[in-house]
Amino acid sequence: MSTKKRKMPETRRKLTVLTIEERLQIIQLHESGWKIGEIASDCKVPQSTVSTVVKNKQKWLEKKHQRHMRKTRVVGDVRLEKSMELFVQQARDNDMRLTCSMIREKALEFAEQFGNTSFKASSGWLDKFAKRHLITLRKAGGESGDRMDTDLYTVPELIRGYAPRDIVVASETGLLFGCLPDEADRFLEEACAGGEYSDERITLLCATNMDGSEKLPLLVIGNLKEPCFKDTKSLPVTYESNSKAWMTSAIFERWILSLDSKFEQEHRQVVMFVESSPVHSKSLPNKLKCINLQFFPTNATSDLRPLDLVIKTFKYHYRFSLVNRRLEEIEQEKEFTKVTLLDAISFISRAWVTDLKPTSIANCFRKAGFIFPAEDPLNTAETLEDVPATISDAVMAHLAGPGVTFLDYCNVDDGLATSGLMSDSDIMECAVEPVRAAVKVEPIEESQRSTSTNAWSSVVRSNLEAVSSILAATENVPAEIFGHFFALEKFLKERYK
């Protein structure tokens, strides 16, 4: 009797590797109400495959710009890959022609700087790099040519279908936060170009919606990676940093992706307008789910930029606060104090949140053409901005010397650069350390935490009682002020029990 085993028939199924595009189609079907079994039958894949794709939905949605690929590839040198990605993206956004030899030469330069002596920048590497980043090597130019910039006539059509609260404009501005009245003439006489005065300047990203009902928290960019904010654990702004205190493409992308996530959680679809700039990548719309990103023309006038007047008014309020503080020091015969970064953040937050009125913002949007087709344009004779308090020429002459008006002081940082083309060193800095700067808080032992809380508890309660007494003794306090106080009282009492 033969003991030879019979060969079993081959029953293993053929392994099918789905492209990212096919995975996205499965996710779309599932979100539209299809059941797992129905999708598996229609796409001719196992139910377990469909279940895995749906389970990892977020992962595949984030890779939709790589939809032509079957799998994401692991690169050898992440720093080199990121540097080349930024280099190519900057060239695309500025319509710079890149040839194959230019890309390979730049890659070799970065590799040498990173100490990667084994990298060869071969034709094979170039081909794979191009596929990973959707680069068509035969085609010169960039993708900005197939995107129409916004103009005064297209705005009403672009905002059609959006509620005013979901129409947002964002814009950067430079601020010489440490410039006091007696220093205004120095800054007015000297050119503020490039990274000059980076120790005394910050860049702000301001963003608000069309009806002024939602002023987004300011993004502040300084040049300190670890600001010395003693005992400060919370800030009213988002803080980032780099050596020039400039906006960069990496910072802007982090900001807008975080905002996109916020709108997704709120189930909102928003149209946002930004200026055409090297730091506002034209590839960003492909990464956004809830923000329809539109670009103003490169040389758009202030007639098309609603935030110009808003920012101007906002700066007036900031400068007025600095002058008032200097006058109080003179009156009380105190030594003049330098404006720290923490002081500046406090002043600008107050000016942005409390001093700017929604009606003023709404009027600025209308003047810039942000009107619905059935609406009439704003009469230019109407008030377009809050009228901030002013400082007389006599007072300014006393503080800053003759010839410097309060308006001169408010406009001291007009034209201050907020961004520019990244140099190779800037690109490498982003690739090596693409992490956001933040206020660091040292860990506190539990015993220390309890002691600190108990110490602050009595201070908090006594001060809240004092404020409550002041409000009660003050005539005509608006009801909303009491509402804000009660909310603050509840928050602090719960935090310092």
Side-chain angles (χ1 to χ4, degrees), residues 201 348 415:
R201 61 154 293 162
I348 63 176

Side-chain angles (χ1 to χ4, degrees), residues 278-486:
V279 297
H280 301 156
S281 173
K282 294 293 177 71
S283 67
L284 273 177
N286 297 326
K287 302 180 182 180
L288 303 173
K289 304 173 190 175
C290 299
I291 297 177
N292 174 12
L293 191 61
Q294 299 292 331
F295 298 88
F296 290 131
T298 303
N299 297 317
T301 64
S302 58
D303 290 338
L304 189 59
R305 299 200 299 264
L307 286 197
D308 277 13
L309 276 177
V310 174
I311 290 174
K312 193 177 187 68
T313 305
F314 156 68
K315 287 187 175 183
Y316 280 6
H317 287 297
Y318 174 74
R319 296 295 177 198
F320 184 77
S321 298
L322 295 188
V323 171
N324 258 352
R325 189 171 85 161
R326 178 54 59 91
L327 291 175
E328 289 175 1
E329 290 172 340
I330 293 175
E331 183 179 349
Q332 298 171 14
E333 298 182 350
K334 292 182 178 179
E335 291 186 8
F336 291 166
T337 55
K338 184 178 180 180
V339 180
T340 66
L341 182 54
L342 185 58
D343 292 334
I345 287 175
S346 177
F347 283 131
I348 63 176
S349 299
R350 190 177 297 111
W352 178 251
V353 173
T354 63
D355 294 333
L356 288 175
K357 303 297 185 291
T359 51
S360 173
I361 294 173
N363 284 337
C364 291
F365 270 79
R366 289 188 63 199
K367 180 177 182 289
F370 282 74
I371 58 174
F372 294 102
E375 291 183 322
D376 294 326
L378 180 69
N379 187 335
T380 54
E382 295 185 36
T383 301
L384 299 178
E385 57 181 298
D386 299 319
V387 180
T390 188
I391 304 295
S392 69
D393 291 348
V395 172
M396 284 301 298
H398 176 66
L399 294 175
V404 178
T405 67
F406 181 61
L407 182 61
D408 292 333
Y409 178 49
C410 292
N411 296 334
V412 69
D413 39 33
D414 280 3
L416 191 64
T418 59
S419 65
L421 289 176
M422 291 190 293
S423 64
D424 287 356
S425 59
D426 293 333
I427 290 175
M428 292 172 65
E429 180 183 354
C430 292
V432 172
E433 194 179 5
V435 294
R436 66 187 66 189
V439 179
K440 292 190 174 181
V441 180
E442 295 297 329
I444 301 175
E445 297 293 336
E446 191 61 36
S447 59
Q448 293 178 320
R449 189 189 310 276
S450 177
T451 302
S452 176
T453 301
N454 292 336
W456 274 103
S457 179
S458 59
V459 175
V460 167
R461 291 182 179 277
S462 62
N463 279 281
L464 286 174
E465 290 172 1
V467 173
S468 179
S469 299
I470 293 171
L471 288 175
T474 304
E475 293 183 359
N476 302 321
V477 177
E480 59 267 23
I481 297 297
F482 281 103
H484 294 320
F485 172 72
F486 295 147

Side-chain angles (χ1 to χ4, degrees), residues 22 25-47 50 54:
E22 290 167 339
Q25 290 175 354
I26 289 174
I27 292 170
Q28 186 176 9
L29 290 173
H30 185 261
E31 290 182 340
S32 63
W34 284 43
K35 296 181 179 178
I36 297 293
E38 294 173 338
I39 299 173
S41 176
D42 184 75
C43 298
K44 296 181 175 56
V45 295
Q47 291 190 26
V50 177
V54 172

